[in-house]
Amino acid sequence: MSGTRARLSYLLLCISCGIVFQVAYIRFVFLEPTCHALGLTAQEYGGIMSVFGAVAAVMYFAGGWFADRFSPRVLVVSGLALTGIADLALTVSPGYLTVLLAHIVMAFAGMALYWPALVKAIGSFGSAGTQGRLFGFLEAIRGVTSTLIGGLGALLIGTLLAPSAGVLTLIAIYGVLALVIAAALWFTLRGQTGHTPGSERSALSLRQLVAAARNKYTWLLGGSIMLMYCFYTTLGYFSPLLQHDFGLTAGLIGVLGVVRSYVFQFVAGPIGGFGVDKVTHSTPRFLRLAFAGATVCVAVLLFLPGTPALSWAALTLMFVLSLMVFASRGVYWASITEARIPAEQRGGVIGLASGLAYLPDAFLPGLVAWWIGDPGAGTAAHGGYGMLFGFLTAAGVLGLLLTTVTLRVQRREPTERPAPHTTALT
């Protein structure tokens, strides 16, 4: 590709990454308005999110097979187009069956088609020495895109339109943008080849997975990331708590959701990288500190009285927790580089550890929705936020233990470990 077309393609790919997953994870910012807009109870929506997470986990493994056999151009465009159609279907005919089918389509399109092809396409724009910058700018542009469109959504939902109408309008905007960018990438990505040499295959073999299952780091690293991901995937459920228990307005909740979910995405990541490189000199040691901070936050929230007079304390704890979570999210896969994992096992370890790491998406949304009920109607009959914060406190303590064990195992390694590499793989 020519220089101008390559730069345009790269920019469009980065922007697309800030669009393609947003409707599937819109609960992170607009949980309660989305339930109402789609005609669902909180429990129904939580169950659908768990189905989405389960399908996405399976599709993660299928993605390597597709990436080996089809060009990034075909896969990225197909993933965006299917996602755009699913988004628009939600606005035309909201309801349980439509929402369920749309999220299954989004899981297949995003994880099996789009994501593996995106990684391959982004990597093709530069040499081995420029990969950190290519993926670093991907995360930055992705975060800026999410912030701008999410900010527009907060304006629509909190000010210009009724909450339900604002959510459906925002979903329609995401759907149209996905289709427009898919069409643009079809023309700018011309020339991408679909053939992958045997030595560069992405799909994991059964032999690799068996070897990975025998590697201690698969369970130590995958388990640590899974426990931190429990904090990440439940952040969206803080919004109803802030609104109904601490008295924040719906409009402010939308703005805070954008800051929590999108701004921290590109602000906290570099902080995590700096912390690993310059302070702890070890990813597990940094994660242990992050687990300690996150555990303190949720333990305090567990006992903090829900009153408007303490809204400042709840907000402070939420933002500190978000900083811990997103700083960790930016670096936790760097543990793979620090560990002495044989090169022939590394792909299997990453694949199996990823399936373990993102497992909370398959059960936690439904479980949390069952716990907290509909906060606006006061139906938290199963323990409410006490169960959520108690669960997260336990997850944080287990995370402290796992990262400590990981450090001790690494100290016993007979040879010197490579220096940390903090490029995020998520």
Side-chain angles (χ1 to χ4, degrees):
M1 288 188 289
S2 66
T4 300
R5 187 150 63 89
R7 286 190 289 271
L8 178 59
S9 298
Y10 175 78
L11 178 62
L12 288 172
L13 286 168
C14 294
I15 292 173
S16 74
C17 198
I19 292 170
V20 67
F21 298 115
Q22 297 310 312
V23 174
Y25 291 102
I26 197 171
R27 73 179 190 275
F28 282 14
V29 184
F30 307 110
L31 175 62
E32 197 169 349
T34 301
C35 292
H36 297 156
L38 298 178
L40 305 175
T41 66
Q43 289 87 347
E44 288 174 334
Y45 188 48
I48 289 173
M49 290 300 97
S50 290
V51 172
F52 169 84
V55 175
V58 175
M59 291 301 105
Y60 178 87
F61 292 99
W65 186 89
F66 283 102
D68 288 341
R69 287 159 178 81
F70 300 95
S71 71
R73 178 195 185 204
V74 169
L75 293 177
V76 167
V77 170
S78 298
L80 284 168
L82 283 174
T83 300
I85 292 170
D87 292 348
L88 294 177
L90 295 177
T91 67
V92 174
S93 179
Y96 184 84
L97 184 58
T98 300
V99 177
L100 176 62
L101 293 176
H103 280 79
I104 291 174
V105 170
M106 284 188 275
F108 170 75
M111 305 306 176
L113 302 182
Y114 175 85
W115 182 250
L118 175 80
V119 172
K120 184 173 287 189
I122 292 294
S124 71
F125 285 105
S127 63
T130 63
Q131 295 300 297
R133 279 170 285 171
L134 286 171
F135 282 94
F137 279 108
L138 166 67
E139 191 68 16
I141 296 172
R142 174 187 185 182
V144 170
T145 303
S146 301
T147 301
L148 292 176
I149 303 177
L152 174 61
L155 181 64
L156 290 172
I157 294 167
T159 305
L160 299 181
L161 299 172
S164 293
V167 167
L168 294 177
T169 301
L170 178 60
I171 292 174
I173 290 172
Y174 280 123
V176 170
L177 285 174
L179 293 174
V180 169
I181 294 177
L185 284 169
W186 180 256
F187 293 103
T188 63
L189 283 176
R190 289 196 309 272
Q192 287 276 5
T193 177
H195 176 69
T196 301
S199 61
E200 298 178 12
R201 294 286 181 181
S202 302
L204 298 176
S205 66
L206 180 60
R207 180 184 299 176
Q208 286 177 300
L209 291 177
V210 170
R214 295 174 176 172
N215 192 305
K216 56 185 176 294
Y217 286 113
T218 299
W219 308 103
L220 290 172
L221 304 182
S224 299
I225 297 170
M226 179 190 70
L227 292 166
M228 184 58 74
Y229 196 77
C230 288
F231 289 90
Y232 172 74
T233 198
T234 54
L235 282 176
Y237 293 95
F238 285 49
S239 294
L241 175 71
L242 294 172
Q243 181 176 351
H244 298 292
D245 286 26
F246 291 96
L248 274 65
T249 65
L252 181 57
I253 289 294
V255 174
L256 292 174
V258 171
V259 173
R260 180 189 62 219
S261 299
Y262 302 147
V263 174
F264 274 94
Q265 183 178 19
F266 62 87
V267 171
I271 294 176
F274 178 84
V276 171
D277 288 343
K278 303 297 183 182
V279 181
T280 66
H281 306 289
S282 164
T283 302
R285 188 173 289 114
F286 178 85
L287 290 177
R288 186 169 62 175
L289 293 174
F291 271 119
T295 303
V296 169
C297 288
V298 293
V300 173
L301 284 169
L302 178 61
F303 297 103
L304 187 70
T307 171
L310 292 175
S311 60
W312 63 271
L315 278 175
T316 300
L317 290 167
M318 184 195 71
F319 282 131
V320 172
L321 176 62
S322 298
L323 178 64
M324 298 292 114
V325 170
F326 281 95
S328 301
R329 189 170 179 250
V331 301
Y332 48 40
W333 285 110
S335 301
I336 296 291
T337 306
E338 293 182 46
R340 295 212 52 88
I341 300 173
E344 66 274 11
Q345 293 185 23
R346 192 165 297 172
V349 170
I350 292 173
L352 192 56
S354 296
L356 178 63
Y358 302 127
L359 187 62
D361 264 345
F363 71 89
L364 205 47
L367 186 60
V368 175
W370 184 69
W371 283 338
I372 69 174
D374 184 349
T379 60
H382 308 288
Y385 279 95
M387 289 294 293
L388 172 59
F389 293 137
F391 172 84
L392 291 177
T393 300
V397 172
L398 287 175
L400 284 167
L401 292 175
L402 265 187
T403 49
T404 299
V405 170
T406 303
L407 282 169
R408 291 180 178 177
V409 168
Q410 287 185 341
R411 290 193 193 107
R412 290 199 297 265
E413 293 289 345
T415 54
E416 185 179 356
R417 295 186 300 273
H421 182 272
T422 55
T423 300
L425 298 180
T426 54

